[in-house]
Amino acid sequence: MPGSRPALSYDVFVAPEAPFAAPAPRVGDPPAWDPKTSTLIFGARDAVLVDALLTVREATALADWIALHDRRLTTIYITHGHGDHYFGLSVVLDRFPDARAVATEGTVEQMRKSTPQQANGYRGWFPGQIADTIAQAEPLDADHLEVEGLPLQVIETGHTDTVDTTALHVPDLGLVVSGDVAYNHCHMFVGGTTADSRAEWMAALDKLAALHPAAVVTGHKDPTRGNPPSVLGESRGYIEYYGQLRDAGLPDQDLFDAMVARYPDWVSRQQFLILGIT
Ligand SMILES: [Zn+2]
């Protein structure tokens, strides 16, 4: 009902940019992982967490923050199969052993196939900071989750910053938790995209925009910003502009410089995001 008070609330935890061990990049800032979010959606008694961060320290701080909300954590939903969104899961589950970790079948499959290889990479970049055990999610057997009877709808968004990605839509709050389908004034992981995957990514952003959310929490964001729905159009524009430069055959350095010039106030001017992981 318009004007009625939502039964649910949400709160966003932002883990700050995290420097990592890697050779100095040819372009951009020294290596640092872009700021990451986890979102807690809660009612009077119960809560669902969306995404579980990367390092042990991040996940420990996240678990403390969840505990401050004094709700029963029933479920942890993982939006997609990238380790920066689920390698902290085992730490959170240790603190909240009654919670169930879930994801779509596609994401569970990505986690199953890629966890060992991703763990190798992340353990090199963040030595001593990645949990020994990387917990996996179980496949969700429905197209939605619930908090106290209210739906959190899973939106399949296909190939965006990886394959089989998803977002969550919470009609009661007019909220979309976008995972990495949208970014909030943070350079996007477009380095690995192709013309086809960019088209699919833009279509996914259109799908989220068609829900007309009042707020969008992105997986990566400038921590000083709120959660406006305008990030959907801005992310779409970023991918479109990047595609135009790629199609024009710009050399790496020029491509990087052009993106930073077009988005001068966006955080994480990282070579690995804009030009890809080498
Ligand atoms: Zn991410």
Side-chain angles (χ1 to χ4, degrees):
M1 254 180 295
S4 70
R5 226 183 130 95
L8 302 179
S9 304
Y10 74 100
D11 203 357
V12 182
F13 183 93
V14 184
E17 188 172 73
F20 65 90
R26 285 173 288 121
V27 291
D29 294 343
W33 211 263
D34 30 333
K36 301 177 283 295
T37 72
S38 284
T39 304
L40 195 70
I41 298 159
F42 54 96
R45 302 172 305 278
D46 295 345
V48 168
L49 182 73
V50 186
D51 287 343
L53 305 178
L54 172 62
T55 68
V56 170
R57 274 204 302 172
E58 287 168 354
T60 303
L62 174 63
D64 285 341
W65 174 86
I66 295 165
L68 291 176
H69 291 78
D70 259 326
R71 300 311 199 268
R72 186 175 67 108
L73 185 67
T74 62
T75 312
I76 304 164
Y77 179 77
I78 304 298
T79 56
H80 66 292
H82 270 164
D84 54 331
H85 300 261
Y86 74 90
F87 276 20
L89 187 52
S90 59
V91 174
V92 178
L93 285 171
D94 275 352
R95 286 281 292 278
F96 302 95
D98 295 334
R100 214 177 132 226
V102 297
T104 59
E105 270 181 37
T107 292
V108 168
E109 179 62 8
Q110 289 309 316
M111 293 167 83
R112 191 188 64 74
K113 282 198 308 209
S114 71
T115 292
Q117 195 197 349
Q118 290 197 70
N120 260 338
Y122 282 114
R123 291 206 165 98
W125 294 323
F126 296 92
Q129 299 184 58
I130 304 297
D132 292 336
T133 306
I134 309 293
Q136 305 284 297
E138 328 166 9
L140 185 63
D141 51 10
D143 64 358
H144 68 284
L145 304 163
E146 285 184 6
V147 177
E148 297 174 7
L150 291 165
L152 319 182
Q153 194 68 38
V154 173
I155 313 289
E156 298 266 8
T157 46
H159 191 171
T160 59
D161 91 327
T162 183
V163 295
D164 292 320
T165 63
T166 73
L168 269 192
H169 177 221
V170 189
D172 182 62
L173 289 166
L175 172 70
V176 164
V177 184
S178 75
D180 287 359
V181 180
Y183 286 51
N184 186 341
H185 286 215
C186 175
H187 283 282
M188 301 177 70
F189 183 40
V190 287
T193 58
T194 63
D196 283 350
S197 73
R198 285 191 291 276
E200 194 170 342
W201 196 338
M202 288 188 280
L205 285 160
D206 292 342
K207 192 173 181 179
L208 297 185
L211 299 168
H212 301 294
V216 176
V217 178
T218 59
H220 300 280
K221 69 177 290 190
D222 174 346
T224 65
R225 285 178 47 89
N227 305 296
S230 52
V231 297
L232 298 175
E234 289 163 354
S235 295
R236 193 189 199 290
Y238 184 100
I239 295 164
E240 192 167 31
Y241 184 61
Y242 180 83
Q244 288 164 4
L245 300 179
R246 262 276 138 96
D247 292 346
L250 246 61
D252 279 359
Q253 174 83 58
D254 295 354
L255 177 62
F256 187 92
D257 292 345
M259 293 309 288
V260 167
R262 174 85 158 215
Y263 298 95
D265 60 340
W266 285 30
V267 300
S268 272
R269 301 166 177 212
Q270 290 291 328
Q271 176 180 301
F272 80 94
L273 292 172
I274 297 174
L275 301 178
I277 294 172
T278 46

